[in-house]
């Protein structure tokens, strides 16, 4: 068994309205509470980083599955949405991945079905999704278009 270690360094100045910085490998950013939560909105925040981690893990996993299955995908883009609700405390409720896949016009129905299955399969095999599962609702809303159908 091999283990991989990842590290982050952070600093913070001030209280709730303060600003900090993080450094984790190639990721370097200012951080603060977002404006929508009455913070200064400087740099990124934990909510954006969580959907960023979930989205990039999902996207890379999906790309690997599509490649392994040799499916005729020409373009792959992703929008990921995170939903947080405030009750007595803030709760990260749901993450929705919306992959958009453009396929060759010659793609068969079987290939289209396999692409749809790959989109669902990627969410179930992404390491970050698996770390969140049971605490955050995870959803995939895939949109697949043949090249001539793009809008």
């Amino acid at each position: 068994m091999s283990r991989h270690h990842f590290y982050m360094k952070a600093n913070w100045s001030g209280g709730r309205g303060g600003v900090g910085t993080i450094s984790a490998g190639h990721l370097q950013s200012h951080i603060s509470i977002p404006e929508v939560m009455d913070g200064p909105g400087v740099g990124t925040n934990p909510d954006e980083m969580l959907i960023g981690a979930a989205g990039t893990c999902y996207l890379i996993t999906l790309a690997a599955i599509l490649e392994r299955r040799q499916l005729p995908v020409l373009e792959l883009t992703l929008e990921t949405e995170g939903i947080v609700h405030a009750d007595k405390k803030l709760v990260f409720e749901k993450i929705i991945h919306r992959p958009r896949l453009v396929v060759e016009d010659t793609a068969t129905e079987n290939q289209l079905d396999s692409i749809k299955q790959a989109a669902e399969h990627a969410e179930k095999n992404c390491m970050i999704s698996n770390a969140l599962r049971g605490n955050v609702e995870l959803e995939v809303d895939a949109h697949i278009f043949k090249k001539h159908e793009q809008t």
Side-chain angles (χ1 to χ4, degrees):
M1 172 169 82
S2 65
R3 286 197 169 112
H4 306 279
H5 297 257
F6 299 92
Y7 299 95
M8 181 194 75
K9 291 182 180 182
N11 67 53
W12 187 262
S13 296
R16 185 182 186 287
V19 175
T21 60
I22 59 167
S23 176
H26 294 284
L27 174 64
Q28 295 183 22
S29 182
H30 284 93
I31 57 171
S32 72
I33 295 174
E35 286 183 55
V36 297
M37 295 178 174
D38 298 321
V42 176
T44 191
N45 57 70
D47 309 282
E48 290 172 345
M49 289 191 295
L50 184 62
I51 66 168
T56 54
C57 183
Y58 172 81
L59 185 64
I60 292 167
T61 303
L62 177 55
I65 293 169
L66 295 169
E67 179 184 60
R68 193 169 37 250
R69 293 184 185 178
Q70 299 180 340
L71 293 167
V73 175
L74 301 171
E75 296 175 30
L76 172 58
T77 58
L78 177 68
E79 288 186 14
T80 295
E81 176 183 6
I83 301 171
V84 174
H85 76 267
D87 199 358
K88 293 179 183 173
K89 62 180 181 176
L90 293 172
V91 176
F92 211 109
E93 181 180 318
K94 185 176 191 176
I95 295 175
I96 307 164
H97 298 299
R98 294 185 181 98
R100 183 179 187 279
L101 302 101
V102 177
V103 302
E104 294 176 4
D105 287 336
T106 57
T108 66
E109 286 302 315
N110 283 345
Q111 287 173 319
L112 294 173
D113 288 344
S114 187
I115 291 166
K116 180 74 170 167
Q117 290 172 359
E120 296 293 331
H121 189 68
E123 189 278 317
K124 291 173 178 46
N125 286 280
C126 163
M127 174 180 68
I128 302 299
S129 291
N130 289 334
L132 297 172
R133 197 172 323 284
N135 292 308
V136 176
E137 184 181 346
L138 301 164
E139 181 181 316
V140 173
D141 181 20
H143 300 271
I144 304 166
F145 303 92
K146 288 194 174 184
K147 187 176 180 179
H148 76 277
E149 299 172 332
Q150 298 185 71
T151 57

